[in-house]
Amino acid sequence: MSNAWSIYIIVLAVGNILAMVWLLIITNRDNGVDASDTTGHKWDGIEELNNPLPRWWLGLFIITIIFAGVYLYLYPGLGSYKGSLNWSQMSEYRQARDANEEIQAEFFAEFVSYDIPALAKSERAMATGERLFANNCTTCHGSGGRGAKGFPNLTDNDWLYGNQPETILASIENGRAGVMPNLNLNSATVAVLARYLKHLSGEDGISDHVIDSGPKRFAVCAACHGADGKGNQAIGAPNLTDGIWLHGGRVSDIENVLRHGMQGNMPSFANALNSNEIRLLAAYVISLSSSNMADGSNTADGSNTADGSNTTEDE
Amino acid sequence: MKHETIEKNAGLMGVLIALVIAVAGMAEIVPLMFQAQTTEPSPGVIPYPAVELAGRDIYVKEGCYNCHSQMIRPFAVERLRYGPPSLAGESVYDRPHQWGSKRTGPDLARVGGRYTDEWHLIHLINPRDLVPESNMPGFPWLQDKEVDGELITTKMKTLKWMGHPYTDEQIEQASDTVHGVTEMEALIAYLQFLGVANNGRSQK
């Protein structure tokens, strides 16, 4: 703040307080109630006496003036004068922030030696993971991580990109962009393929015509979804045979995907969260689906085999 | 001065009241109008581009500020939830600013980049599709109307006159830029623009 502005503020603030003192002095009378001294107001013959301020009121007035003086001495208020306590809102904020970071550092120091599967089994770590997840992830992945249309369920054992610790870390840190292109399919192809996919995922009652002509039409899809339709985790192409649908499982939902293409974007958290937090979240995501990994191990190919189900993960 | 003189001259009394009230403003507000801290943009802060500017009007029109603040206060807990505290220099191109004080929903000062465009679209049509417990209303009608290019051009000219550094080129192209953009798209562009200069998502 420039000197001129500083002086301007000091003059106004101090001048204002002095004006109050002056007001008290010039209106001060201790002559008690004087029946002849009236304000000049007269209503129907009733006059208003010009009495001095009640003592208690005067006392309060003086206390506020003293308070103002003490306050302006201790705290910043007079232009660029910083106050004898040297307090500022920002310094208080920084102190609280640093104290908080210390607590965090202490907390995370406990877990430096843990790898992600081990973190996922620590109750203390997961309690914090749950809060981080609630603050950053539930709006998309739903409370409890169960997902919504277009936003994957993280509690099932069905992965778009895989559930190895490194892929989950990468999903959170760098974000993900899964692109199902619009392939400009004609409507007959769309209709057949949508029903063929229902057949692949185990639905009964699909016509022979669809089942016969499906594989031929599916050839263009195989590059991404694999010849068997079981997907490709490297590019986030979902398994189309497991009956779990990211964008809805009705024939009309699938047709919609085929007709227009579809994109799934997960924002990057690299700049919003620090690496400790991201590791904790990756562990929390693993813990969400850990019913299938009772022994805490997830095999190198990303399949969770503890209960023997689900060895082809996708979506 | 006698009571009577003041009390019987409404004009004089008005002037004296105004003076008393003005003292605080003269000390607390007037100097701020001349401080670099409050009048110069923080690093990376630029005036709203045409589409974002249009989106801002929709934000105001729909009363989003009734439930959302855009001011992260300097408390450690707010930093954990929303990011670093808002700076005065981040509001220099906000006329009027949308700081607000009511938080039925979360603060939006740094919401840019936090979600994807698809998320905002679904959320603005019906928040409960994504956040089942949300009490935010849906705004589906924003998809039906397009932004008025002429209005935005006029608005940018006015803002330029008030000191926002728009280039002539920007103003010339404004109408084309917003052509065919729905109110929904403009609003989402605005939300994605909020705080990105300083929210840690576009820069470390």
Side-chain angles (χ1 to χ4, degrees):
Chain A
M1 198 185 309
S2 76
N3 248 345
W5 280 117
S6 183
I7 292 169
Y8 165 89
I9 292 171
I10 293 172
V11 167
L12 273 173
V14 175
N16 194 40
I17 293 170
L18 292 180
M20 294 300 142
V21 175
W22 170 76
L23 188 70
L24 279 186
I25 293 172
I26 62 152
T27 55
N28 183 37
R29 285 175 297 120
D30 51 7
N31 53 354
V33 178
D34 174 357
S36 67
D37 185 9
T38 67
T39 58
H41 295 162
K42 212 184 251 179
W43 293 276
D44 296 341
I46 301 170
E47 290 185 308
E48 187 187 352
L49 287 179
N50 190 8
N51 286 343
L53 283 176
R55 288 281 129 182
W56 64 268
W57 181 301
L58 188 67
L60 282 182
F61 209 147
I62 292 170
I63 289 172
T64 57
I65 290 174
I66 295 171
F67 177 87
V70 173
Y71 180 88
L72 289 173
Y73 173 71
L74 294 175
Y75 289 97
L78 292 177
S80 39
Y81 169 63
K82 292 206 164 27
S84 71
L85 295 181
N86 217 4
W87 179 92
S88 80
Q89 198 175 30
M90 268 330 239
S91 65
E92 183 168 291
Y93 160 70
R94 287 194 192 103
Q95 260 172 21
R97 181 195 63 189
D98 294 347
N100 183 279
E101 277 179 355
E102 234 166 79
I103 296 172
Q104 277 195 27
E106 225 170 86
F107 173 80
F108 283 116
E110 195 181 324
F111 299 107
V112 274
S113 61
Y114 286 50
D115 61 2
I116 288 177
L119 266 180
K121 281 195 291 184
S122 154
E123 236 170 75
R124 232 168 91 71
M126 287 306 93
T128 301
E130 186 178 356
R131 282 195 288 277
L132 277 173
F133 191 83
N135 263 351
N136 293 287
C137 322
T138 48
T139 34
C140 288
H141 291 288
S143 24
R146 284 175 205 290
K149 197 169 161 186
F151 300 91
N153 183 339
L154 300 176
T155 66
D156 58 12
N157 255 305
D158 212 57
W159 299 91
L160 287 162
Y161 299 93
N163 71 337
Q164 299 92 324
E166 313 80 62
T167 39
I168 291 182
L169 267 181
S171 292
I172 302 171
E173 191 155 356
N174 310 325
R176 291 288 188 189
V179 181
M180 160 77 200
N182 177 352
L183 295 165
N184 294 316
L185 307 171
N186 63 41
S187 47
T189 308
V190 166
V192 168
L193 275 174
R195 287 165 181 80
Y196 177 64
L197 293 182
K198 289 301 274 185
H199 165 71
L200 282 184
S201 58
E203 186 157 307
D204 295 332
I206 306 290
S207 74
D208 289 344
H209 162 68
V210 166
I211 296 171
D212 291 341
S213 69
K216 193 175 81 230
R217 303 200 200 234
F218 192 75
V220 294
C221 323
C224 294
H225 291 282
D228 54 1
K230 295 215 160 128
N232 177 355
Q233 295 191 344
I235 58 165
N239 185 341
L240 302 174
T241 66
D242 56 10
I244 296 176
W245 301 97
L246 180 59
H247 297 289
R250 291 173 306 183
V251 169
S252 59
D253 291 327
I254 301 173
E255 284 183 345
N256 189 40
V257 172
L258 300 184
R259 213 171 284 129
H260 304 293
M262 201 50 89
Q263 286 199 29
N265 285 304
M266 150 101 186
S268 154
F269 280 82
N271 291 332
L273 299 170
N274 65 38
S275 58
N276 282 326
E277 293 168 324
I278 291 177
R279 264 167 50 87
L280 205 60
L281 278 166
Y284 182 73
V285 169
I286 288 178
S287 79
L288 282 176
S289 56
S290 62
S291 54
N292 281 358
M293 10 190 293
D295 64 353
S297 69
N298 44 339
T299 49
D301 64 358
S303 49
N304 300 315
T305 48
D307 68 359
S309 72
N310 231 326
T311 43
T312 48
E313 266 76 19
D314 230 45
E315 194 167 25
Chain B
M1 218 181 303
K2 276 299 243 182
H3 277 197
E4 215 177 338
T5 337
I6 301 177
E7 285 172 9
K8 288 194 174 162
N9 290 294
L12 176 63
M13 182 143 110
V15 171
L16 290 176
I17 290 175
L19 240 150
V20 169
I21 295 173
V23 172
M26 274 156 58
E28 291 175 4
I29 301 172
V30 174
L32 291 178
M33 297 178 181
F34 301 93
Q35 303 299 311
Q37 210 185 357
T38 52
T39 55
E40 271 164 33
S42 302
V45 173
I46 55 166
Y48 293 98
V51 177
E52 285 78 355
L53 187 66
R56 190 176 180 283
D57 283 346
I58 292 146
Y59 183 89
V60 175
K61 178 178 83 176
E62 296 295 344
C64 310
Y65 58 83
N66 284 311
C67 291
H68 292 286
S69 60
Q70 285 189 25
M71 149 76 100
I72 303 168
R73 297 168 298 171
F75 299 127
V77 285
E78 296 233 332
R79 173 174 163 271
L80 293 178
R81 176 72 173 80
Y82 300 119
S86 295
L87 304 172
E90 289 177 288
S91 296
V92 293
Y93 298 125
D94 274 317
R95 289 179 195 269
H97 64 69
Q98 299 296 313
W99 298 341
S101 57
K102 180 126 188 303
R103 282 185 182 164
T104 302
D107 189 275
L108 299 179
R110 303 201 189 288
V111 80
R114 194 180 168 97
Y115 300 108
T116 51
D117 290 358
E118 302 94 71
W119 186 90
H120 281 300
L121 180 63
I122 304 172
H123 186 250
L124 285 168
I125 293 174
N126 180 16
R128 275 148 301 281
D129 283 349
L130 292 168
V131 187
E133 55 278 358
S134 177
N135 66 359
M136 168 165 153
F139 297 85
W141 58 85
L142 295 178
Q143 294 185 104
D144 304 335
K145 219 177 130 202
E146 287 180 8
V147 169
D148 180 348
E150 217 169 291
L151 188 70
I152 288 307
T153 310
T154 319
K155 186 160 178 157
M156 285 172 84
K157 279 186 190 153
T158 314
L159 287 171
K160 183 171 183 181
W161 175 77
M162 294 175 79
H164 293 204
Y166 287 118
T167 61
D168 291 334
E169 207 185 347
Q170 264 178 310
I171 294 178
E172 232 165 73
Q173 291 168 356
S175 183
D176 286 342
T177 322
V178 301
H179 182 75
V181 172
T182 63
E183 293 192 327
M184 182 65 93
E185 288 161 345
L187 179 61
I188 292 173
Y190 168 70
L191 291 170
Q192 295 289 31
F193 188 76
L194 283 179
V196 286
N198 210 2
N199 71 356
R201 280 172 201 268
S202 66
Q203 61 185 35
K204 266 257 175 220

